[in-house]
Amino acid sequence: MTIFYKFEGKLYANITNKCPCACVFCLRKNGDSVADNDSLWLEREPDIDEIIKAFDEFDKTGLSELVFCGYGEPMERCDVLLEVAKYVKQTTDMTIRINTNGLVDFINPAFDPYKMRYLIDSISISLNAPDPESYLEVTKPKFGLPSFNSMINFAQTVKSIVPTVMFTVVDVISPEQIELCKELAEGLDIPLRIRHFVTDNKSYT
Ligand code: SF4
């Protein structure tokens, strides 16, 4: 099963298929993988030893960044993620990024974000929409309307813990909503990246 895969010059870690959301733009709807990689649907949730073994065996030549992002929400397994991040920091010079929906406070309420300090170099958080109601339409989180504020709180919290924090939106929302997202992100002093909606899983732009 595919725990690690390469995509656009980066190494990706696919450590879970669990996710509390059903985003309208989710790549999982388009197919079983991204680019020419094997299926990202896991036979089972791999344990730490299995993940580290797969990391050691992967040819990392030319790869300088590890991104926790696969066919699921990586913070579903935040403790495993941090153990793997610790190993990667101890054994390589790679920088580490987490791509997350920012809902860890609902997913794992006991998670202490300060554990990410010195392990995680950057976090990309899916803003997805400018307000709780439209967030619900785009992201469809099982935690309902409070999800949006929880995600925003998480973003504000990690700003003082992780060196680089950024938001993303996918251009499935209206241009007016994208403008509102820009204003919101600016007000929070967090850069916003606008991603282009893709249906072929060949590229992210
Ligand atoms: S949070 Fe990520 S994995 Fe989950 S549905 Fe949205 S895009 Fe897909």
Side-chain angles (χ1 to χ4, degrees), residues 46-55 84:
D47 63 25
I48 292 173
D49 292 343
E50 211 169 359
I51 297 170
I52 285 176
K53 184 169 183 287
F55 177 78
V84 175

Side-chain angles (χ1 to χ4, degrees), residues 15-36:
I15 62 171
T16 183
N17 284 156
K18 293 181 190 164
C19 182
C21 302
C23 299
V24 296
F25 54 79
C26 185
L27 298 179
R28 303 189 301 179
K29 293 179 180 179
N30 304 340
D32 293 339
S33 190
V34 295
D36 297 325

Side-chain angles (χ1 to χ4, degrees), residues 26-186:
C26 185
L27 298 179
R28 303 189 301 179
K29 293 179 180 179
N30 304 340
D32 293 339
S33 190
V34 295
D36 297 325
N37 289 291
D38 291 335
S39 173
L40 295 177
W41 294 114
L42 297 159
E43 292 160 21
R44 62 188 174 282
E45 301 283 292
D47 63 25
I48 292 173
D49 292 343
E50 211 169 359
I51 297 170
I52 285 176
K53 184 169 183 287
F55 177 78
D56 282 341
E57 289 174 355
F58 199 96
D59 179 3
K60 297 177 279 296
T61 308
L63 302 174
S64 58
E65 184 175 31
L66 172 64
V67 186
F68 284 92
C69 172
Y71 262 24
E73 164 51 47
M75 296 302 272
E76 282 277 356
R77 305 191 72 201
C78 46
D79 292 340
V80 169
L81 185 158
L82 290 184
E83 279 302 312
V84 175
K86 198 167 161 185
Y87 179 80
V88 172
K89 283 289 178 196
Q90 285 170 345
T91 57
T92 76
D93 293 328
M94 297 182 92
T95 57
I96 300 177
R97 167 157 56 102
I98 302 172
N99 287 2
T100 178
N101 56 28
L103 298 177
V104 69
D105 287 345
F106 275 120
I107 297 168
N108 282 300
F111 178 68
D112 175 6
Y114 283 89
K115 286 184 177 172
M116 294 188 290
R117 182 168 272 173
Y118 309 126
L119 290 179
I120 306 303
D121 299 285
S122 63
I123 297 190
S124 177
I125 301 168
S126 301
L127 178 62
N128 288 356
D131 60 76
E133 288 77 14
S134 36
Y135 180 83
L136 213 53
E137 284 175 26
V138 177
T139 312
K140 305 183 194 304
K142 72 178 185 186
F143 312 114
L145 205 56
S147 302
F148 180 78
N149 286 339
S150 180
M151 175 271 297
I152 295 289
N153 285 341
F154 175 74
Q156 289 177 301
T157 300
V158 296
K159 263 175 68 182
S160 62
I161 300 171
V162 172
T164 303
V165 179
M166 71 194 96
F167 279 137
T168 61
V169 292
V170 180
D171 61 1
V172 290
I173 57 175
S174 69
E176 293 77 18
Q177 285 181 313
I178 289 180
E179 283 308 308
L180 290 171
C181 287
K182 284 182 188 170
E183 286 173 25
L184 176 61
E186 202 175 311

